[in-house]
Short mmCIF file of all heavy atoms in Angstrom, two decimals:
data_model
loop_
_atom_site.label_atom_id
_atom_site.label_comp_id
_atom_site.label_asym_id
_atom_site.label_seq_id
_atom_site.Cartn_x
_atom_site.Cartn_y
_atom_site.Cartn_z
N VAL A 274 0.18 2.13 -17.86
CA VAL A 274 -0.17 1.06 -16.93
C VAL A 274 1.04 0.24 -16.66
O VAL A 274 1.64 -0.27 -17.65
CB VAL A 274 -1.25 0.22 -17.70
CG1 VAL A 274 -1.67 -0.90 -16.73
CG2 VAL A 274 -2.56 1.06 -18.07
N SER A 275 1.33 0.10 -15.39
CA SER A 275 2.49 -0.88 -15.11
C SER A 275 1.86 -2.17 -14.71
O SER A 275 0.83 -2.35 -14.26
CB SER A 275 3.37 -0.23 -13.92
OG SER A 275 2.71 -0.57 -12.68
N GLY A 276 2.73 -3.12 -14.89
CA GLY A 276 2.24 -4.55 -14.64
C GLY A 276 1.28 -4.97 -15.59
O GLY A 276 0.39 -5.70 -15.45
N ALA A 277 1.55 -4.38 -16.88
CA ALA A 277 0.62 -4.55 -18.00
C ALA A 277 0.49 -6.00 -18.49
O ALA A 277 -0.61 -6.28 -19.14
CB ALA A 277 1.03 -3.64 -19.14
N ALA A 278 1.40 -6.87 -18.22
CA ALA A 278 1.27 -8.24 -18.59
C ALA A 278 0.71 -9.04 -17.50
O ALA A 278 0.59 -10.33 -17.70
CB ALA A 278 2.70 -8.85 -18.97
N GLY A 279 0.22 -8.47 -16.46
CA GLY A 279 -0.31 -9.32 -15.29
C GLY A 279 -1.78 -9.51 -15.38
O GLY A 279 -2.50 -9.12 -16.29
N MET A 280 -2.35 -10.24 -14.33
CA MET A 280 -3.65 -10.73 -14.35
C MET A 280 -4.73 -9.59 -14.46
O MET A 280 -5.67 -9.59 -15.04
CB MET A 280 -3.88 -11.56 -13.27
CG MET A 280 -3.30 -12.92 -13.45
SD MET A 280 -3.93 -14.17 -12.23
CE MET A 280 -3.74 -13.38 -10.75
N ILE A 281 -4.57 -8.57 -13.53
CA ILE A 281 -5.44 -7.48 -13.43
C ILE A 281 -5.42 -6.64 -14.77
O ILE A 281 -6.59 -6.35 -15.30
CB ILE A 281 -5.11 -6.52 -12.18
CG1 ILE A 281 -5.26 -7.31 -10.93
CG2 ILE A 281 -5.96 -5.29 -12.33
CD1 ILE A 281 -4.63 -6.57 -9.67
N SER A 282 -4.30 -6.38 -15.26
CA SER A 282 -4.27 -5.58 -16.52
C SER A 282 -4.86 -6.38 -17.66
O SER A 282 -5.40 -5.73 -18.65
CB SER A 282 -2.75 -5.40 -16.88
OG SER A 282 -2.23 -4.47 -15.87
N ASN A 283 -4.90 -7.68 -17.58
CA ASN A 283 -5.43 -8.43 -18.66
C ASN A 283 -6.99 -8.15 -18.86
O ASN A 283 -7.54 -8.31 -19.94
CB ASN A 283 -5.18 -9.94 -18.47
CG ASN A 283 -5.53 -10.74 -19.75
OD1 ASN A 283 -5.27 -10.25 -20.85
ND2 ASN A 283 -6.05 -11.97 -19.50
N HIS A 284 -7.57 -7.72 -17.66
CA HIS A 284 -8.97 -7.31 -17.83
C HIS A 284 -8.97 -5.76 -18.07
O HIS A 284 -9.88 -5.30 -18.84
CB HIS A 284 -9.71 -7.61 -16.54
CG HIS A 284 -9.73 -9.12 -16.26
ND1 HIS A 284 -10.77 -9.82 -16.72
CD2 HIS A 284 -8.91 -9.93 -15.63
CE1 HIS A 284 -10.61 -11.16 -16.42
NE2 HIS A 284 -9.43 -11.20 -15.64
N LEU A 285 -8.19 -4.98 -17.34
CA LEU A 285 -8.27 -3.60 -17.29
C LEU A 285 -8.12 -2.89 -18.78
O LEU A 285 -8.72 -2.00 -19.17
CB LEU A 285 -7.32 -3.06 -16.24
CG LEU A 285 -7.26 -1.45 -16.19
CD1 LEU A 285 -8.63 -0.97 -15.68
CD2 LEU A 285 -6.20 -0.99 -15.35
N LEU A 286 -6.94 -3.45 -19.30
CA LEU A 286 -6.59 -2.75 -20.61
C LEU A 286 -7.69 -2.71 -21.55
O LEU A 286 -7.86 -1.81 -22.35
CB LEU A 286 -5.31 -3.39 -21.21
CG LEU A 286 -4.08 -3.28 -20.37
CD1 LEU A 286 -2.96 -4.24 -20.93
CD2 LEU A 286 -3.65 -1.86 -20.28
N PHE A 287 -8.43 -3.83 -21.65
CA PHE A 287 -9.48 -3.90 -22.62
C PHE A 287 -10.76 -2.96 -22.26
O PHE A 287 -11.51 -2.51 -23.18
CB PHE A 287 -9.94 -5.34 -22.94
CG PHE A 287 -8.70 -6.15 -23.45
CD1 PHE A 287 -7.78 -6.63 -22.48
CD2 PHE A 287 -8.63 -6.27 -24.79
CE1 PHE A 287 -6.60 -7.39 -23.02
CE2 PHE A 287 -7.48 -6.93 -25.26
CZ PHE A 287 -6.43 -7.48 -24.42
N LYS A 288 -10.89 -2.72 -21.00
CA LYS A 288 -11.99 -1.83 -20.64
C LYS A 288 -11.46 -0.38 -20.95
O LYS A 288 -12.27 0.40 -21.33
CB LYS A 288 -12.21 -1.99 -19.06
CG LYS A 288 -12.83 -3.27 -18.74
CD LYS A 288 -12.93 -3.31 -17.18
CE LYS A 288 -13.78 -4.55 -16.69
NZ LYS A 288 -15.15 -4.41 -17.07
N LEU A 289 -10.23 -0.15 -20.71
CA LEU A 289 -9.69 1.26 -21.01
C LEU A 289 -9.82 1.41 -22.59
O LEU A 289 -10.26 2.47 -23.03
CB LEU A 289 -8.24 1.32 -20.66
CG LEU A 289 -7.90 1.44 -19.22
CD1 LEU A 289 -6.42 1.14 -18.88
CD2 LEU A 289 -8.32 2.80 -18.60
N ALA A 290 -9.41 0.49 -23.38
CA ALA A 290 -9.45 0.65 -24.83
C ALA A 290 -10.88 0.77 -25.43
O ALA A 290 -11.10 1.40 -26.51
CB ALA A 290 -8.70 -0.49 -25.44
N SER A 291 -11.85 0.18 -24.70
CA SER A 291 -13.21 0.19 -25.27
C SER A 291 -13.97 1.44 -25.09
O SER A 291 -14.92 1.59 -25.69
CB SER A 291 -14.06 -0.97 -24.49
OG SER A 291 -14.22 -0.44 -23.17
N GLY A 292 -13.40 2.35 -24.26
CA GLY A 292 -14.09 3.57 -23.91
C GLY A 292 -15.10 3.60 -22.72
O GLY A 292 -15.55 4.56 -22.30
N GLU A 293 -14.98 2.39 -22.07
CA GLU A 293 -15.91 2.21 -20.81
C GLU A 293 -15.43 3.23 -19.73
O GLU A 293 -16.35 3.52 -18.92
CB GLU A 293 -15.75 0.76 -20.44
CG GLU A 293 -16.60 0.44 -19.24
CD GLU A 293 -16.28 -1.10 -18.85
OE1 GLU A 293 -16.03 -1.93 -19.73
OE2 GLU A 293 -16.39 -1.39 -17.67
N VAL A 294 -14.13 3.49 -19.77
CA VAL A 294 -13.67 4.34 -18.59
C VAL A 294 -13.69 5.82 -18.84
O VAL A 294 -14.26 6.53 -18.06
CB VAL A 294 -12.25 3.88 -18.36
CG1 VAL A 294 -11.73 4.53 -17.05
CG2 VAL A 294 -12.11 2.38 -18.18
N PHE A 295 -13.08 6.24 -19.99
CA PHE A 295 -13.02 7.74 -20.22
C PHE A 295 -14.04 8.26 -21.19
O PHE A 295 -14.10 9.32 -21.39
CB PHE A 295 -11.70 8.02 -20.72
CG PHE A 295 -10.55 7.81 -19.68
CD1 PHE A 295 -9.74 6.73 -19.69
CD2 PHE A 295 -10.41 8.67 -18.65
CE1 PHE A 295 -8.73 6.45 -18.76
CE2 PHE A 295 -9.40 8.51 -17.67
CZ PHE A 295 -8.62 7.39 -17.72
N GLY A 296 -14.86 7.36 -21.72
CA GLY A 296 -15.99 7.83 -22.61
C GLY A 296 -15.81 7.52 -24.07
O GLY A 296 -14.63 7.24 -24.55
N GLN A 297 -16.91 7.49 -24.76
CA GLN A 297 -16.89 7.05 -26.19
C GLN A 297 -16.40 8.06 -27.16
O GLN A 297 -16.31 7.84 -28.38
CB GLN A 297 -18.32 6.61 -26.58
CG GLN A 297 -18.83 5.38 -25.80
CD GLN A 297 -17.92 4.14 -26.07
OE1 GLN A 297 -17.42 3.93 -27.03
NE2 GLN A 297 -17.81 3.31 -24.98
N ASP A 298 -16.05 9.19 -26.67
CA ASP A 298 -15.52 10.33 -27.43
C ASP A 298 -14.02 10.57 -27.04
O ASP A 298 -13.45 11.66 -27.36
CB ASP A 298 -16.32 11.54 -27.45
CG ASP A 298 -16.33 12.14 -25.99
OD1 ASP A 298 -15.97 11.39 -25.00
OD2 ASP A 298 -16.89 13.27 -25.77
N GLN A 299 -13.44 9.63 -26.38
CA GLN A 299 -12.09 9.83 -25.86
C GLN A 299 -11.10 8.96 -26.35
O GLN A 299 -10.97 7.80 -25.92
CB GLN A 299 -12.10 9.76 -24.29
CG GLN A 299 -10.69 9.96 -23.62
CD GLN A 299 -10.17 11.26 -23.90
OE1 GLN A 299 -10.57 12.32 -23.37
NE2 GLN A 299 -9.15 11.30 -24.74
N PRO A 300 -10.31 9.31 -27.42
CA PRO A 300 -9.32 8.41 -28.01
C PRO A 300 -8.19 8.26 -26.97
O PRO A 300 -7.95 9.10 -26.23
CB PRO A 300 -8.80 9.08 -29.20
CG PRO A 300 -9.18 10.55 -29.11
CD PRO A 300 -10.40 10.55 -28.15
N ILE A 301 -7.70 7.07 -26.99
CA ILE A 301 -6.69 6.73 -25.91
C ILE A 301 -5.33 6.22 -26.44
O ILE A 301 -5.31 5.53 -27.43
CB ILE A 301 -7.35 5.77 -24.92
CG1 ILE A 301 -6.50 5.41 -23.67
CG2 ILE A 301 -7.66 4.49 -25.63
CD1 ILE A 301 -7.31 4.92 -22.58
N ALA A 302 -4.22 6.67 -25.74
CA ALA A 302 -2.88 6.02 -26.00
C ALA A 302 -2.56 5.24 -24.77
O ALA A 302 -2.54 5.78 -23.61
CB ALA A 302 -1.83 7.17 -26.27
N LEU A 303 -2.37 3.88 -24.95
CA LEU A 303 -1.89 3.11 -23.82
C LEU A 303 -0.38 2.88 -23.83
O LEU A 303 0.17 2.44 -24.86
CB LEU A 303 -2.60 1.67 -23.95
CG LEU A 303 -4.12 1.65 -23.54
CD1 LEU A 303 -4.67 0.33 -23.80
CD2 LEU A 303 -4.32 2.14 -22.10
N LYS A 304 0.17 3.22 -22.71
CA LYS A 304 1.69 3.00 -22.62
C LYS A 304 1.84 1.93 -21.62
O LYS A 304 1.58 2.12 -20.44
CB LYS A 304 2.29 4.32 -22.23
CG LYS A 304 2.21 5.35 -23.26
CD LYS A 304 2.16 6.79 -22.76
CE LYS A 304 2.56 7.79 -23.81
NZ LYS A 304 4.01 8.02 -23.87
N LEU A 305 2.47 0.84 -21.95
CA LEU A 305 2.47 -0.35 -21.14
C LEU A 305 3.89 -0.58 -20.58
O LEU A 305 4.86 -0.73 -21.37
CB LEU A 305 1.91 -1.54 -21.92
CG LEU A 305 0.69 -1.35 -22.70
CD1 LEU A 305 0.24 -2.65 -23.42
CD2 LEU A 305 -0.45 -0.87 -21.79
N LEU A 306 3.96 -0.71 -19.34
CA LEU A 306 5.19 -0.95 -18.57
C LEU A 306 5.22 -2.40 -18.03
O LEU A 306 4.33 -2.76 -17.34
CB LEU A 306 5.39 -0.01 -17.44
CG LEU A 306 6.61 -0.05 -16.67
CD1 LEU A 306 7.90 0.28 -17.46
CD2 LEU A 306 6.59 0.81 -15.32
N GLY A 307 6.23 -3.07 -18.42
CA GLY A 307 6.43 -4.43 -17.84
C GLY A 307 7.79 -4.62 -17.20
O GLY A 307 8.55 -3.70 -17.15
N SER A 308 8.01 -5.76 -16.62
CA SER A 308 9.36 -6.05 -16.09
C SER A 308 10.16 -6.76 -17.21
O SER A 308 9.61 -7.24 -18.12
CB SER A 308 9.21 -6.99 -14.90
OG SER A 308 8.46 -8.10 -15.24
#
Side-chain angles (χ1 to χ4, degrees):
V274 180
S275 84
M280 289 196 303
I281 295 170
S282 295
N283 194 33
H284 297 270
L285 178 67
L286 294 173
F287 296 84
K288 290 174 173 293
L289 290 165
S291 73
E293 180 183 333
V294 185
F295 292 105
Q297 294 301 328
D298 58 351
Q299 178 60 74
I301 188 165
L303 284 177
K304 294 155 158 267
L305 310 183
L306 180 66
S308 57

